Amino acid sequence: MKSYSGTGHTDEGHSGTKQQETETIQPAVMLAGEIQLPPDKSISHRAALFSAITDPAEGEQILENYSQAADPQSTLSCLRQLGVSIRTEGNTVYIRGVGKTGFRPPAEPLDCGNSGTTMRLLTGLLAASGTPATLIGDESLSARPMRRILAPLRSMGCHLTARDDQFAPIQTAPHDGIHGITYPLPVASAQLKSCLLLAGLYADEPTTILEEHPTRDHTERSLQLPTEQQDGLTRIQSSLATPVPAQSARIPGDFSAAAFWLVAASVSPQKVEDPTSLILPNTGINPSRTALLNLLQDMGAIIHIQNQRLSGREPVADLHVLGGTLSAISPDPSVIPNCIDELPVLMVAMAFAHGRSVIRGAEELRHKETDRLAAMEEVLARAGCTFSMFDDGIEIHGDPNFRPCPAIYNSYGDHRIAMAAAVMALRSTGESGVQDPGCTAISYPDFWKDLRRVSVLHDASGK
Ligand code: S3P
């Protein structure tokens, strides 16, 4: 176990001394205003993929507020290469489905960019429909584990190959018929679950996925898949007989983007009675995504959830963050899948929460766009936090009066690390920087613009 005693570290980390573009962050006394969140990334991917396999007789699917971020745009460009007709007007995307078996084998490799969701879900569809294709990704995606999808897809009868039998590029090929499987998820991964449920749409007999710790359920909602609880497990089924329902809807604001603002406003020194505060309209509040909201409230953050309603098949609300003084928390490992993308910024919240917080059961963080446990170890060390690392988590000794050292943070090209580091920097005693800030375009292209707009740099007395 490696421990840090809160003195601030200035080592180079694993970044070397390469000159990199850096975004400057000024300390803020509070955050105030309204933020139009980027559209949800997970829901955008699914809305596009599932629209593409609707029956042409369903007509054009209209997806309002589709994400302009790089990952969901990768999904659109792959679908276009597969012969799906897609047109866009501003943030509205119009997709005419080709049906489950209507993909045209692409002439060139399908470039999934940085997007694990594009690669894993599309592989499920292409492998099970027997469409020959090659899926490639950037350096980060090419290093992420794919055996988790290859093995169960092969057990269904799909034909696939991959580099070293575990990494992209992945090749899908025609098969001699596939069959359903019953599959207890060995890792709590919504991408794996969704990949197999999509493949299940092509087999006569049902595919049944068994989940011990439920992950995000956007696929089940969007496809209206039968789901039941049994013996402490969630059972989700799909089969050839499952109709692909119409997908036209408005995509909610991304809770995972809201997370940065929820934490930033909760740890800012602003007072609850302050008349100004931060408002996040149209935030997706699907319970399989919002563990961070519950954890922050349990820690003492005052967050109001107003105007709850449905947007398509997804719940949304307006969130109003009033601040608070945070106390330590140790989340139960069973909720980790429901805040997996929010863990980096939760660690920042923990640095400002009175007492000892522990996260365990988060080994999956090592397999994200970068090793997010290693990257956050570096962020917290540079800030001068007191903490210790585990293979599957972290223990943080927090203090509401903690002031991070001014630092240059390495994002490792990972959007969530860049944004978590920025939230840390807002409480610093001086100017900080985040390297490779352009990576936030993966999920939140306007993040830096929004950060500057809502940061209040001086209190009323001008201090
Ligand atoms: C996602 C699932 C999660 C999450 C990712 C998006 C999805 O990945 O980290 O950002 O859209 O299904 P895993 O399934 O690998 O946990």
Side-chain angles (χ1 to χ4, degrees), residues 242-265:
T242 309
V244 179
Q247 296 292 314
S248 291
R250 186 174 178 80
I251 315 282
D254 197 331
F255 181 82
S256 297
F260 298 100
W261 306 119
L262 295 180
V263 171

Side-chain angles (χ1 to χ4, degrees), residues 380-433:
L380 295 172
R382 281 174 187 246
C385 293
T386 300
F387 68 104
S388 306
M389 296 304 301
F390 304 108
D391 286 347
D392 68 343
I394 193 166
E395 173 180 312
I396 298 175
H397 293 262
D399 175 357
N401 297 317
F402 172 55
R403 301 300 305 270
C405 314
I408 300 293
Y409 296 104
N410 190 338
S411 65
Y412 290 98
D414 182 321
H415 52 133
R416 301 205 196 280
I417 299 300
M419 294 186 274
V423 173
M424 177 70 91
L426 286 174
R427 290 294 322 267
S428 181
T429 50
E431 185 178 291
S432 295

Side-chain angles (χ1 to χ4, degrees), residues 183-411:
Y183 194 70
L185 282 188
V187 277
S189 161
Q191 292 175 357
L192 171 58
K193 168 177 70 174
S194 303
C195 166
L196 301 178
L197 288 168
L198 290 175
L201 295 174
Y202 295 81
D204 280 331
E205 65 282 15
T207 287
T208 306
I209 301 298
L210 305 172
E211 272 193 318
E212 190 182 343
H213 298 309
T215 61
R216 66 192 66 193
D217 66 359
H218 306 304
T219 297
E220 297 89 304
R221 279 176 191 257
S222 304
L223 294 176
Q224 300 184 301
L225 300 179
T227 301
E228 59 179 46
Q229 306 296 325
Q230 205 180 57
D231 306 327
L233 296 176
T234 306
R235 288 167 60 94
I236 312 130
Q237 282 196 334
S238 66
S239 79
L240 192 63
T242 309
V244 179
Q247 296 292 314
S248 291
R250 186 174 178 80
I251 315 282
D254 197 331
F255 181 82
S256 297
F260 298 100
W261 306 119
L262 295 180
V263 171
S266 298
V267 305
S268 89
Q270 74 198 50
K271 295 283 168 289
V272 170
E273 56 276 11
D274 237 311
T276 44
S277 57
L278 200 62
I279 299 169
L280 307 170
N282 303 313
T283 309
I285 53 159
N286 178 318
S288 66
R289 292 283 296 280
T290 51
L292 175 90
L293 176 56
N294 306 331
L295 290 168
L296 281 176
Q297 288 178 322
D298 290 348
M299 292 167 88
I302 315 247
I303 302 169
H304 293 163
I305 305 169
Q306 295 163 335
N307 302 325
Q308 294 194 41
R309 58 205 183 268
L310 277 179
S311 187
R313 300 181 181 108
E314 291 284 342
V316 298
D318 304 328
L319 303 185
H320 192 163
V321 203
L322 295 163
T325 304
L326 304 189
S327 303
I329 200 162
S330 297
D332 190 283
S334 66
V335 307
I336 294 301
N338 305 133
C339 56
I340 189 73
D341 290 340
E342 292 69 65
L343 290 177
V345 79
L346 176 61
M347 293 177 202
V348 176
M350 288 171 165
F352 299 97
H354 179 71
R356 172 180 163 273
S357 292
V358 182
I359 298 174
R360 298 303 298 260
E363 206 268 338
E364 269 296 297
L365 282 184
R366 299 209 181 269
H367 307 294
K368 296 295 177 187
E369 285 83 331
T370 188
D371 175 342
R372 287 185 176 158
L373 278 172
M376 284 309 294
E377 175 177 354
E378 196 180 311
V379 168
L380 295 172
R382 281 174 187 246
C385 293
T386 300
F387 68 104
S388 306
M389 296 304 301
F390 304 108
D391 286 347
D392 68 343
I394 193 166
E395 173 180 312
I396 298 175
H397 293 262
D399 175 357
N401 297 317
F402 172 55
R403 301 300 305 270
C405 314
I408 300 293
Y409 296 104
N410 190 338
S411 65

